Amino acid sequence: MAFVVFIFALLLKVSTALSSQDINHLFSTVLIFGDSTADSGNNNYINTPLKADHPPYGEDFPGKIPTGRFSNGKLVSDFWASLLGIKQTVPPFLQLNISDFDIRTGVNFTFVGSGYNDMTAQISQVITVTKQLYCFKEYIKRLKKVVGIKVEGALVSISVGTNDFMISYYDLPSRGDDFSMDDYQDYILKKLQNFVNELYKHGCQTMVVSGLPLMERSTRFG
């Protein structure tokens, strides 16, 4: 219930700003954490088979280029940044020669195939959510050099968790022996809670956590 109230309050804040034409002053920065639902290209810079740096990805993106987004165009996080008047797209943190402007206005820390459970990222051969937090701490160091401030004015989006169930639970036959579904959900929620607490400790005050889509367990044979 508290999360629903928070989302309602955030949307009300955005709606009020829209009506007063003051939306450009709501947030100064957008910071994105997550998996394939939000990765804007960090996987391009690591050794993993999970990449979207080739057609048909990006066919509706400005310039019609594949950027590493697992999408034909922009991501929700890009639209958030645009709606808030910050910038048109949110670049990956690992992007080479990332500009001071992008450090000031926000970057994307997500990796396709990642999850709250470190095992998820290990199976996918990508960066864990724990290491996304490490990237965030490195970002803070550079942010302080660029503008000398912390991240209190940032809108933080977290979109991750599906892989923790599809890869680390349903695709591992032994996982059901270690955890019941209820226990595993509690385990993932605890991981999320710890992650949010760490972000809060480092100055993040406004966070949106996306829920998971409906998932069906695939039929197993043998």
Side-chain angles (χ1 to χ4, degrees):
M1 176 62 72
F3 177 65
V4 173
V5 172
F6 167 75
I7 290 296
F8 176 77
L10 178 62
L11 292 176
L12 181 62
K13 188 175 182 181
V14 172
S15 177
T16 301
L18 281 171
S19 62
S20 65
Q21 298 183 345
D22 194 34
I23 194 168
N24 289 353
H25 299 93
L26 268 179
F27 302 100
S28 59
T29 309
V30 285
L31 301 173
I32 315 298
F33 298 87
D35 53 24
S36 61
T37 58
D39 185 8
S40 61
N42 281 306
N43 272 33
N44 291 349
Y45 302 96
I46 63 173
N47 184 21
T48 175
L50 303 181
K51 296 180 185 289
D53 57 353
H54 52 83
Y57 297 112
E59 62 182 15
D60 294 323
F61 194 82
K64 297 185 179 297
I65 56 173
T67 61
R69 291 167 172 80
F70 274 68
S71 169
N72 60 311
K74 292 183 178 181
L75 301 172
V76 172
S77 54
D78 296 317
F79 288 114
W80 269 111
S82 178
L83 174 65
L84 293 169
I86 298 174
K87 53 187 174 183
Q88 293 302 307
T89 58
V90 185
F93 178 64
L94 295 187
Q95 177 178 297
L96 301 178
N97 301 318
I98 194 163
S99 69
D100 287 349
F101 169 79
D102 282 321
I103 292 295
R104 187 173 70 253
T105 55
V107 293
N108 190 311
F109 302 98
T110 67
F111 290 87
V112 172
S114 193
Y116 295 114
N117 184 352
D118 285 353
M119 181 184 293
T120 302
Q122 292 167 5
I123 294 172
S124 301
Q125 301 177 45
V126 297
I127 301 300
T128 65
V129 165
T130 302
K131 289 186 178 179
Q132 288 185 36
L133 186 60
Y134 170 79
C135 290
F136 172 62
K137 293 176 182 178
E138 292 299 305
Y139 161 82
I140 291 177
K141 293 178 183 178
R142 182 167 172 188
L143 179 67
K144 289 180 178 178
K145 291 180 180 179
V146 173
V147 293
I149 60 174
K150 298 181 180 180
V151 295
E152 282 86 352
L155 173 63
V156 177
S157 173
I158 304 170
S159 179
V160 62
T162 304
N163 295 322
D164 288 314
F165 291 90
M166 300 304 293
I167 296 176
S168 295
Y169 193 86
Y170 291 139
D171 283 354
L172 290 179
S174 62
R175 205 59 170 167
D177 297 331
D178 299 330
F179 292 95
S180 68
M181 176 53 74
D182 287 343
D183 288 341
Y184 190 66
Q185 288 175 343
D186 290 341
Y187 171 75
I188 296 300
L189 286 172
K190 183 63 177 178
K191 290 280 190 179
L192 167 60
Q193 182 181 28
N194 292 340
F195 184 67
V196 168
N197 285 340
E198 282 297 313
L199 291 176
Y200 184 78
K201 288 178 184 177
H202 287 84
C204 299
Q205 298 178 348
T206 305
M207 291 177 258
V208 177
V209 181
S210 300
L212 301 185
L214 293 175
M215 293 176 284
E216 294 184 6
R217 182 170 182 173
S218 58
T219 303
R220 296 189 179 280
F221 300 92

